[in-house]
Amino acid sequence: MTILVTGNAGFIGYHLTKRLIELDIPVIGIDNLNDYYDPKLKLARLKNLTELAKEKNNQFVHNNISLENKNAINEIFNKYKPEQVVNLAAQAGVRYSLENPSAYIQSNLVGFGNILEGCRELKVKQLIYASSSSVYGGNVVLPFTETQGVNHPVSLYAATKRANELMAHTYSHLYSLPTTGLRFFTVYGPWGRPDMALFLFTKAMFLGEPIEVFNGGKMSRDFTYIDDIIESMTRLINKPAIPLKNFDKTNPDASRSWCPYMIFNIGNSQPASLMTYIEAIEKATNKKAIKKYMPMQPGDVERTEANTESLEKWINFKPNTSIDDGVKKFVDWYREHY
């Protein structure tokens, strides 16, 4: 089985590709290595993957192209004929979507459309794609469940991710393409993104610089460790979406359909306050944070919490890494890498 992984030089894409190589599964990678954050980190991830594939004598091919390049995407599908596709490439970041909305339109909408078309034409066995907990937007009833309505996004990033879910459903319905959307909840861990709080806070603490604490610290997140994300995704690769028998169109389940379409939350289901998160970083770095309190950022939400019962029933796994353990592993990696 050959799997196409888009965004393979990104945070989650790197870890998934690494796991697949370790499992002797051939991987075709796509990543445009853009400069949204330091490309050196992406190149370091790629170097690790290339060396691991060589060591394992496994096929790993990286292609430096963008999702919105339809001709290049078509060439990849035609040349390598992947049996499954995992789409993790996207323009990430809620706050950056306020500054550069066109980047999100191109990558997350046009690019995702190209991936859907490639899957349709090749008749792949399934498409797994990254959605986001951001789709819950203005919802305030916790924990968030996949059956809730998600019609009030508070950022363009969230709107594009919800659009991906709707686009995927259309292809599942029209072309019987099994699609599984994953609503990730604040993923963190080694090789994480430099624009995320854990990276920013850790770097600042080691440099003795202040950290920006938004909304006066009155925030909580369902922080989810990367290994739990990858274990979930690996299991989902072996369990494609299926139609829901006896789907009730008069009272529809928003996470399922009469066609092979499924949506899952992937979170730790143990939300922690931002201040608790900072305390875990202080403990791991043995540094005291200098806090600079800031107002709430536009497009941000105050709290997130995932109900993952649907995921647990489907793959018999529940993310469970504690904040202290996960943060320590990140800080250990940061020390070694930087």
Side-chain angles (χ1 to χ4, degrees):
M1 176 173 62
T2 298
I3 297 180
L4 171 63
V5 177
T6 74
N8 67 286
F11 174 33
I12 300 175
Y14 161 75
H15 282 279
L16 178 64
T17 302
K18 182 173 179 286
R19 176 71 65 86
L20 294 177
I21 292 172
E22 290 169 346
L23 293 172
D24 292 325
I25 296 173
V27 180
I28 308 305
I30 289 176
D31 200 299
N32 66 3
L33 303 176
N34 66 36
D35 60 359
Y36 170 64
Y37 61 81
D38 187 2
K40 290 180 183 177
L41 182 59
K42 300 177 184 181
L43 291 171
R45 294 177 184 140
L46 271 182
K47 182 173 181 289
N48 280 1
L49 294 175
T50 302
E51 291 175 351
L52 178 63
K54 185 177 180 181
E55 175 188 327
K56 295 284 186 180
N57 195 28
N58 191 17
Q59 181 187 14
F60 166 64
V61 180
H62 170 73
N63 299 272
N64 190 351
I65 60 175
S66 298
L67 293 192
E68 50 268 40
N69 186 338
K70 183 174 177 57
N71 290 335
I73 293 296
N74 288 342
E75 287 179 13
I76 294 296
F77 276 92
N78 292 330
K79 180 178 181 179
Y80 297 104
K81 295 181 170 46
E83 291 157 282
Q84 295 200 34
V85 177
V86 182
N87 185 63
L88 299 169
Q91 179 56 61
V94 168
R95 290 165 191 160
Y96 186 59
S97 68
L98 300 170
E99 303 170 23
N100 189 4
S102 63
Y104 293 77
I105 300 296
Q106 290 301 312
S107 179
N108 300 8
L109 297 181
V110 175
F112 188 67
N114 291 338
I115 292 296
L116 285 169
E117 274 294 276
C119 291
R120 175 183 71 84
E121 292 174 4
L122 194 61
K123 294 182 171 60
V124 301
K125 292 180 179 178
Q126 78 162 324
L127 166 65
I128 297 174
Y129 62 95
S131 185
S132 169
S133 61
S134 298
V135 301
Y136 290 105
N139 290 17
V140 294
V141 177
L142 298 173
F144 296 146
T145 64
E146 299 94 336
T147 55
Q148 288 180 4
V150 285
N151 298 317
H152 299 88
V154 295
S155 69
L156 181 63
Y157 170 72
T160 62
K161 288 299 184 179
R162 177 56 181 149
N164 287 171
E165 296 176 353
L166 297 172
M167 294 163 73
H169 182 272
T170 305
Y171 275 70
S172 295
H173 165 63
L174 292 174
Y175 310 113
S176 299
L177 170 66
T179 65
T180 300
L182 307 178
R183 293 174 178 170
F184 296 129
F185 281 70
T186 315
V187 188
Y188 73 101
W191 296 96
R193 280 171 28 207
D195 62 318
M196 297 291 284
L198 178 55
F199 198 112
L200 292 169
F201 290 175
T202 299
K203 180 180 180 180
M205 287 185 198
F206 276 126
L207 294 174
E209 296 176 351
I211 64 173
E212 294 183 337
V213 182
F214 293 101
N215 199 36
K218 297 173 184 176
M219 311 261 282
S220 69
R221 288 288 182 273
D222 198 339
F223 297 103
T224 313
Y225 188 64
I226 185 63
D227 286 2
D228 291 334
I229 295 286
I230 300 307
E231 179 63 28
S232 300
M233 295 182 73
T234 304
R235 294 184 182 218
L236 285 164
I237 284 170
N238 296 313
K239 289 203 72 174
I242 60 173
L244 177 62
K245 291 181 180 179
N246 304 315
F247 181 81
D248 185 359
K249 291 187 178 181
T250 65
N251 184 29
D253 179 342
S255 67
R256 300 293 303 275
S257 182
W258 61 84
C259 56
Y261 168 88
M262 302 176 84
I263 296 287
F264 292 109
N265 288 337
I266 302 188
N268 200 46
S269 304
Q270 298 182 54
S273 71
L274 182 56
M275 302 311 286
T276 298
Y277 199 52
I278 292 170
E279 287 168 6
I281 304 170
E282 289 177 326
K283 181 179 177 182
T285 58
N286 198 29
K287 304 283 184 182
K288 195 68 178 173
I290 305 167
K291 304 180 188 72
K292 180 182 179 182
Y293 292 100
M294 306 285 287
M296 187 79 150
Q297 287 280 91
D300 227 339
V301 297
E302 194 168 310
R303 299 184 296 165
T304 66
E305 180 183 352
N307 178 319
T308 59
E309 291 178 5
S310 181
L311 177 74
E312 294 163 36
K313 289 177 182 176
W314 187 244
I315 62 172
N316 193 32
F317 176 75
K318 175 179 174 56
N320 55 20
T321 302
S322 72
I323 292 259
D324 283 341
D325 287 346
V327 166
K328 183 181 184 304
K329 288 176 181 177
F330 172 83
V331 170
D332 289 345
W333 166 80
Y334 186 92
R335 276 197 181 99
E336 181 180 351
H337 190 74
Y338 289 100

